[in-house]
Amino acid sequence: AQSVTQLGSHVSVSEGALVLLRCNYSSSVPPYLFWYVQYPNQGLQLLLKYTTGATLVKGINGFEAEFKKSETSFHLTKPSAHMSDAAEYFCAVSRSSSNTGKLIFGQGTTLQVKP
Amino acid sequence: GAGVSQSPSNKVTEKGKDVELRCDPISGHTALYWYRQRLGQGLEFLIYFQGNSAPDKSGLPSDRFSAERTGESVSTLTIQRTQQEDSAVYLCASSLLAVNTGELFFGEGSRLTVL
C-alpha cells in the first residue's frame, strides 16, 4: 500500500525566507510524486511532478522538489517566499504501474508567509 | 466553463437526509474522480470513473455513498441518510486520460455540513 506523510501541518516563514515543506512517502513500487497547491477559495492545482528522469523537478512560481529514493522523500522548496505563496500544499503519490490516475494525498501543510 | 464545476458550493442538511452533489468535468476529460476532505485531514479517495469501464469504488466509506456518471460528462455523488461524520468538502477532479501522471484538474468543492 502507498502512503504519504507531510511533516508539519502548519509552516510559517518570513517573506524572503527559504520555504521547505517536507514530504515522505511509502511505496512498494516506483512512485510517481506530486505537489498540489490550494490557494484560498480555489481548487487544487498541480505545482510540480516527478515521474521519471531528472530527480530535481521545477514547478510553477519558483518552486522545486527533489526525489530522493534513499530517503523516500520529495520535499518542496523555494529559495525566497512571497506573500502570494500563502496556501495549503499537498504532497501525493501514485503507482507507476497503475493504469489509473488515482492519487494518495498527504494531510496537507498550510504555509503562512509573514511580512 | 473552462474548469471543473461543482454544485452546490455549500450544503447544510439535517442528519438522516439524502444529498446529491454534482460535478461537471472539463469537456473531453475521460477520467473523473471524487475525493473527500475532512477538516484538518488530507484528501481521501472515494471513487473513479473512466469511460465505459466499471468504476473503481474502492474508496466509498459505506453503502450510503454512491455515484453515477453519464458517459463522459456529469457525475453525481449521492449520500443517503447523512450522518454528522459525513461533514466535509467533497472534491471532484477530472483528467484527460486515465494515466498515472497525476495531472488532475480539481473543482472548488462542495462543502457539506450535516447538523
Side-chain angles (χ1 to χ4, degrees):
Chain A
Q2 295 180 304
S3 66
V4 175
T5 301
Q6 292 184 238
L7 299 177
S9 60
H10 190 98
V11 170
S12 182
V13 300
S14 298
E15 190 173 20
L18 171 72
V19 176
L20 171 61
L21 304 183
R22 299 179 185 274
C23 173
N24 287 88
Y25 69 90
S26 172
S27 179
S28 59
V29 298
Y32 287 175
L33 296 158
F34 315 87
W35 277 97
Y36 277 78
V37 60
Q38 185 174 29
Y39 297 105
N41 301 317
Q42 296 186 26
L44 278 79
Q45 57 183 283
L46 182 65
L47 194 56
L48 51 77
K49 64 182 179 183
Y50 166 78
T51 53
T52 58
T55 57
L56 179 64
V57 292
K58 297 184 184 298
I60 61 174
N61 300 334
F63 283 92
E64 62 182 37
E66 186 171 12
F67 169 57
K68 293 187 176 181
K69 183 178 179 180
S70 62
E71 299 178 8
T72 61
S73 69
F74 191 58
H75 302 330
L76 182 70
T77 61
K78 181 174 180 178
S80 177
H82 191 275
M83 297 296 292
S84 61
D85 295 327
E88 190 160 19
Y89 293 80
F90 293 91
C91 183
V93 62
S94 75
R95 295 167 57 95
S96 60
S97 59
S98 170
N99 62 356
T100 79
K102 187 168 76 176
L103 300 181
I104 306 300
F105 284 86
Q107 295 187 343
T109 298
T110 300
L111 176 64
Q112 179 187 25
V113 182
K114 299 176 292 185
Chain B
V4 177
S5 178
Q6 293 188 244
S7 61
S9 55
N10 278 287
K11 176 71 176 180
V12 179
T13 191
E14 294 178 349
K15 178 181 174 181
K17 301 284 189 181
D18 297 351
V19 296
E20 281 190 356
L21 308 177
R22 176 188 169 102
C23 173
D24 277 285
I26 294 173
S27 178
H29 280 195
T30 61
L32 186 146
Y33 307 79
W34 283 98
Y35 284 83
R36 177 170 71 176
Q37 185 179 19
R38 288 171 162 162
L39 187 63
Q41 299 186 22
L43 278 71
E44 175 188 7
F45 168 78
L46 297 178
I47 189 169
Y48 155 74
F49 296 91
Q50 166 57 28
N52 294 321
S53 301
D56 177 350
K57 304 180 181 180
S58 60
L60 294 179
S62 77
D63 59 8
R64 296 187 296 104
F65 288 72
S66 63
E68 294 183 347
R69 186 182 187 193
T70 306
E72 294 184 352
S73 60
V74 171
S75 176
T76 301
L77 177 68
T78 301
I79 308 173
Q80 296 179 309
R81 304 181 303 280
T82 52
Q83 303 295 313
Q84 289 184 331
E85 62 262 28
D86 299 334
S87 296
V89 177
Y90 290 83
L91 294 168
C92 177
S94 69
S95 64
L96 185 58
L97 296 169
V99 296
N100 53 0
T101 55
E103 191 147 12
L104 304 186
F105 294 82
F106 283 84
E108 294 184 12
S110 292
R111 182 177 299 276
L112 175 65
T113 303
V114 182
L115 302 177

